[in-house]
């Protein structure tokens, strides 16, 4: 089951893990609350696990413009 990391703000693919078996604790997923898991982790029809994260570019933008934290999507 591939695990694909996608930026929650711009939709850019950040990375992909192509491992058959992955322990959730190795990825830190066991540290998420149930609500965070529902928001961040999605399973695609092809079996991929998609994890919403943040790319470096969007992280820089949020650092430079803290008011963007109020928005769900700040990149149009």
């Amino acid at each position: 089951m591939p695990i694909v990391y996608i930026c929650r703000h711009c939709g850019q693919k950040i990375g992909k893990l192509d491992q058959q078996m992955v322990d959730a604790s190795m990825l830190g997923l066991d540290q998420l609350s149930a609500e965070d898991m529902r928001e961040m982790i999605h399973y695609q029809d092809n079996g991929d696990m998609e994890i919403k994260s943040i790319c470096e570019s969007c992280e820089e933008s949020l650092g430079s413009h803290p008011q963007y934290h109020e928005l769900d999507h700040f990149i149009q």
Side-chain angles (χ1 to χ4, degrees), residues 8-31:
R8 71 175 49 231
H9 298 288
C10 69
Q12 176 181 321
K13 181 179 171 182
I14 300 169
K16 181 177 181 180
L17 299 173
D18 284 319
Q19 300 200 354
Q20 293 301 318
M21 301 253 319
V22 177
D23 185 359
S25 64
M26 290 176 53
L27 300 175
L29 300 178
D30 60 332
Q31 301 295 312

Side-chain angles (χ1 to χ4, degrees), residues 55-66:
C55 69
E56 289 180 20
S57 178
C58 289
E59 186 174 15
E60 281 182 26
S61 294
L62 285 168
S64 298
H65 306 282

Side-chain angles (χ1 to χ4, degrees), residues 29-59:
L29 300 178
D30 60 332
Q31 301 295 312
L32 297 174
S33 68
E35 182 180 340
D36 287 340
M37 288 183 84
R38 281 191 299 275
E39 286 182 21
M40 295 178 66
I41 301 172
H42 304 279
Y43 294 91
Q44 302 303 316
D45 292 337
N46 64 0
D48 290 359
M49 176 191 287
E50 185 177 283
I51 300 177
K52 299 288 184 177
S53 188
I54 184 169
C55 69
E56 289 180 20
S57 178
C58 289
E59 186 174 15

